[in-house]
């Protein structure tokens, strides 16, 4: 049965009490589509009544629900809860075992500098933080739905402060764990599954992140899949390609039982989805391109990651195109012979997240040559991929006598092109400012041959 106390939420199994949080690497958005405003079952408030005691800008406070908050680069705010300086934050501490379970609304009342940004961050462990969104004062948001750890981080290059009058968190106090609550591969989050049966899986779950629940997809198309789709669409909160371009898709994939074990298992493919179909290019793992990676994590499981920018590259879509889901394809799920008997193949999906806490970049061009005098589609443009909200990009060429850089729109995307001038070799360096804290990430192209 479930025990709901004043300060904590626990699940009781037999005589063992388990706090509803599990540590692991961090992870974007809730597994819900946009939620209408509703009355939350429980409410928590930070305001002037529980303002923290600070020493040299640092401090901590345990609220009436038993959740511990930590403060960094902060100062007293006599008319409200706290003031945050540039790069200051207030957030749920990793030392809190449970966080807030089943968050379903969040509102912050604050004032900030003209160029100030109060960021909502989310986490499954209070250590690694995902960018949620830049907040608007006194406006309810659902970007933290089903997360347990939240942080409010202030960025202001003009060194103004953000005065936080109050924070309201609505929550339901139910859930499985901090990992499983925010995992997008939840059966209630599946919009459609073509030629597949979708069932919950509790026995064979990912060896990563202490998961306790996954999603099994079993073929219903028999031995032949030549005309099947084997597509599964997972809902995400409605957004746009532009807002998603700073994320990657990350998931664990059980492949060992989907087809004849004497054959190579074959990799799944990804695409973004809107309300009626799919957007962006269909992308599958290619071991020669590090924008879509695959790591064997044992016991028949892969851990796979794919940059959203890699799915978007050169696609005929406006960056403001609405996106509401992640579409996963895998044709190679067969009814097949195994151990002398007919066996119905299946795969398992676990730990599906949109993530951006690890800022990174890569160039996924397969070309190694820049042609002098190239025109049209023969011109070399850099296929860039990055993780983290993008604030600034600069490019430099190692030898400007051999090539020059110019910028042009292609399929609604502003791209960097390389124009060859003289035979030789070059390397182009890209420097990004990424993330809510403007982390510097440097990326290099391959060594490129400039030739006629």
């Amino acid at each position: 049965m479930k025990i709901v106390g004043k300060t904590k939420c626990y699940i009781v199994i037999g005589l063992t009490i388990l706090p509803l949080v599990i540590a692991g690497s961090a992870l974007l958005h809730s597994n819900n589509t946009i939620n209408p405003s509703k009355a939350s079952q429980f409410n928590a408030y930070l305001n002037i009544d529980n303002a923290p005691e600070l020493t040299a800008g640092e401090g901590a406070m345990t609220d009436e629900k038993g959740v511990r908050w930590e403060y960094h680069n902060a100062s007293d705010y006599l008319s409200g809860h706290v003031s945050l300086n540039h790069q200051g934050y207030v957030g749920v501490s990793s030392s809190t075992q449970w966080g807030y379970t089943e968050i379903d609304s969040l509102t912050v009342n604050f004032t900030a500098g003209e160029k100030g940004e109060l960021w909502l961050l989310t986490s499954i462990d209070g250590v690694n933080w995902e960018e949620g969104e830049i907040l608007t004062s006194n406006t309810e948001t659902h970007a933290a739905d089903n997360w347990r750890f939240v942080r409010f981080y202030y960025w202001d290059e003009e060194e103004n402060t953000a005065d936080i009058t109050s924070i309201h968190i609505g929550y339901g106090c139910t859930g499985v764990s901090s990992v499983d609550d925010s995992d997008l591969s939840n059966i209630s989050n599946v919009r459609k599954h073509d030629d597949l049966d979708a069932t919950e899986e509790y026995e064979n779950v990912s060896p990563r992140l202490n998961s306790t629940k996954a999603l099994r997809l079993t073929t219903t198309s028999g031995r032949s899949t030549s005309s099947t789709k084997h597509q599964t669409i997972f809902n995400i909160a409605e957004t746009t390609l532009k807002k998603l371009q700073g994320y990657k898709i990350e998931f664990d994939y059980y492949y060992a039982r989907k087809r004849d074990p004497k054959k190579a298992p074959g990799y799944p493919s990804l695409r973004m989805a809107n309300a009626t179909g799919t957007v962006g290019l269909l992308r599958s793992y290619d071991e020669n391109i590090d924008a879509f990676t695959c790591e064997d994590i044992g016991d028949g499981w892969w851990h796979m990651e794919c940059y959203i920018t890699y799915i978007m590259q050169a696609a005929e879509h406006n960056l403001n195109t609405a996106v509401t889901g992640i579409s996963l394809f895998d044709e190679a799920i067969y009814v097949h012979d195994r151990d002398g008997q007919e066996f119905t193949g299946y795969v398992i999906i676990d730990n599906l997240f949109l993530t951006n806490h690890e800022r990174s970049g890569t160039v996924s061009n397969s070309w190694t040559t820049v042609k002098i005098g190239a025109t049209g589609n023969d011109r070399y443009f850099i296929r860039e991929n990055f993780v983290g909200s993008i604030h600034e990009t600069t490019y430099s060429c190692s030898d400007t006598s051999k090539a020059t850089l110019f910028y042009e729109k292609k399929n609604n995307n502003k791209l960097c092109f390389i124009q060859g001038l003289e035979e030789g070799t070059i390397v182009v360096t890209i420097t990004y400012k990424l993330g809510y804290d403007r982390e510097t990430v440097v990326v290099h192209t391959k060594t490129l041959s400039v030739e006629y």
Side-chain angles (χ1 to χ4, degrees), residues 312-434:
M312 292 168 51
Q313 282 171 5
E316 294 282 358
H317 295 289
N318 190 294
L319 291 180
N320 292 320
T321 298
V323 178
T324 61
I326 298 170
S327 178
L328 188 146
F329 295 80
D330 193 338
E331 291 188 359
I333 310 174
Y334 298 95
V335 172
H336 59 278
D337 294 327
R338 184 182 286 262
D339 301 326
Q341 296 182 347
E342 186 173 82
F343 183 85
T344 302
Y346 64 86
V347 297
I348 301 173
I349 316 294
D350 202 357
N351 297 329
L352 173 63
F353 296 98
L354 290 166
T355 70
N356 65 6
H357 66 278
E358 293 181 341
R359 285 37 166 302
S360 60
T362 183
V363 173
S364 57
N365 291 76
S366 57
W367 295 1
T368 58
T369 301
V370 176
K371 294 293 185 182
I372 298 172
T375 60
N377 290 332
D378 292 331
R379 298 177 301 166
Y380 189 108
F381 69 87
I382 302 175
R383 295 182 180 272
E384 300 175 48
N385 308 278
F386 53 86
V387 170
S389 58
I390 190 161
H391 302 281
E392 182 181 306
T393 310
T394 57
Y395 306 82
S396 62
C397 180
S398 61
D399 190 339
T400 55
S401 70
K402 300 293 189 296
T404 186
L405 307 177
F406 66 97
Y407 315 99
E408 187 175 297
K409 273 197 171 184
K410 180 180 174 65
N411 301 331
N412 295 305
N413 298 305
K414 185 180 178 182
L415 303 173
C416 181
F417 285 78
I418 306 175
Q419 178 67 56
L421 301 175
E422 182 182 307
E423 289 183 306
T425 59
I426 61 166
V427 173
V428 175
T429 299
I430 310 170
T431 303
Y432 296 114
K433 296 290 187 181
L434 296 172

Side-chain angles (χ1 to χ4, degrees), residues 188-200:
S188 64
N189 195 46
V190 175
R191 183 192 311 172
K192 65 181 299 186
H193 43 95
D194 298 326
D195 303 305
L196 295 163
D197 272 337
T199 55
E200 291 182 325

Side-chain angles (χ1 to χ4, degrees), residues 125-166:
D125 55 8
V127 177
N128 298 300
W129 293 94
E130 307 294 338
E131 299 174 4
E133 63 183 20
I134 298 175
L135 295 172
T136 300
S137 179
N138 207 32
T139 300
E140 183 177 295
T141 179
H142 294 279
D145 285 10
N146 287 337
W147 293 90
R148 299 196 178 196
F149 292 82
V150 293
R151 175 178 285 184
F152 306 94
Y153 176 96
Y154 187 59
W155 177 273
D156 193 325
E157 293 180 352
E158 296 183 343
E159 302 291 336
N160 293 305
T161 61
D163 297 327
I164 297 178
T165 302
S166 63

Side-chain angles (χ1 to χ4, degrees), residues 101 122 152 158 258:
T101 307
T122 56
F152 306 94
E158 296 183 343
K258 71 175 185 172

